[in-house]
Amino acid sequence: MIRVVIADDHRLLLEGLVEALNAVPDIEVVGTAGDGAELAGLVPKAQPDVMLVDLEMPGTGGLATIRQLGNPVPTVIVSMHAAAIHRAEAERAGAVGFLSKSAPLPDLAAAVRAAHAGERFVAEQAVPAVLDRHRQPRLEAGAASLTRRERELLSLLAAGLSTTEELADRMYISQKTVKNHLANIYEKLGVNDRAQAAVEAIRLGLRE
């Protein structure tokens, strides 16, 4: 899991970002701040892997705060202002990325992964290629080892199909093969039954 701290003074937007990112399988929001001073006090406690910081906040702004912190973790500036001058200021402050607040959730999640991987994407022309490389979640070893058919079966469980007969009919395989797939899935994901597997499938984003 990539541990993320978000700093933004718009409470509704902040709450929406937290909810959205916590639904992404490989990202966990471990703290939020409404201004620079709160962020400065939060970072040593939360120990994030990545920070998402608003450009403009009351009191000490985002850029001044990350300068004061000495850039302890990769920081992505998220702002409504995306002009070249703002990007240049962010880069001088030590930010590794710059993203518009209007960016969709897949872009935001990709930005978190890219920052965690050491990528830099402050310049506008660099953003698309960098984000495209980081659109897929980084799954735990067990989840990453799932075969295509096991993922397909999991997506059906997440969609509400649960009986062996239903799964076999939908996948055009025998009921014995379904049971074999399920046994492999349980072992890889560390779960004990179909209900737990369905919950894990939803958490991993494996749904139809």
Side-chain angles (χ1 to χ4, degrees):
M1 299 290 282
I2 304 173
R3 296 166 57 84
V4 176
V5 157
I6 308 174
D8 197 301
D9 62 309
H10 294 89
R11 179 54 55 180
L12 288 177
L13 175 62
L14 184 60
E15 292 175 356
L17 288 175
V18 171
E19 183 177 356
L21 285 176
N22 276 336
V24 178
D26 57 338
I27 296 173
E28 177 186 14
V29 178
V30 295
T32 62
D35 56 44
E38 192 176 357
L39 175 63
L42 172 64
V43 170
K45 300 174 184 177
Q47 294 291 302
D49 299 311
V50 173
M51 294 194 300
L52 299 178
V53 179
D54 188 11
L55 184 68
E56 297 178 340
M57 293 186 291
T60 307
L63 298 184
T65 301
I66 64 174
R67 286 194 194 98
Q68 290 175 5
L69 289 169
N71 303 303
V73 295
T75 299
V76 178
I77 296 298
V78 184
S79 175
M80 292 303 297
H81 307 288
I85 187 171
H86 298 116
R87 293 177 180 274
E89 290 172 352
E91 190 163 27
R92 284 195 295 271
V96 302
F98 195 108
L99 202 63
S100 169
K101 282 188 177 181
S102 63
L105 176 60
D107 282 4
L108 188 62
V112 169
R113 297 185 192 110
H116 189 239
E119 298 257 24
R120 301 189 68 86
F121 50 102
V122 177
E124 185 175 5
Q125 62 269 26
V127 173
V130 171
L131 298 191
D132 283 346
R133 291 196 292 270
H134 295 276
R135 294 199 180 279
Q136 295 302 315
R138 297 180 178 182
L139 302 179
E140 298 93 335
S145 69
L146 291 166
T147 67
R148 180 184 62 81
R149 294 296 267 172
E150 289 165 358
R151 287 170 180 257
E152 182 182 349
L153 193 153
L154 273 170
S155 73
L156 294 174
L157 289 176
L161 279 70
S162 59
T163 69
T164 303
E165 184 177 1
E166 287 177 319
L167 295 167
D169 287 346
R170 180 64 72 89
M171 295 180 67
Y172 303 103
I173 57 178
S174 70
Q175 294 187 30
K176 181 179 179 181
T177 302
V178 168
K179 293 177 180 178
N180 289 338
H181 283 326
L182 286 170
N184 291 333
I185 289 169
Y186 296 164
E187 181 178 357
K188 291 177 180 180
L189 298 185
V191 298
N192 299 314
D193 56 37
R194 299 180 194 205
Q196 291 179 1
V199 170
E200 190 69 2
I202 294 171
R203 186 185 74 81
L204 293 169
L206 301 174
R207 63 169 75 195
E208 289 192 315

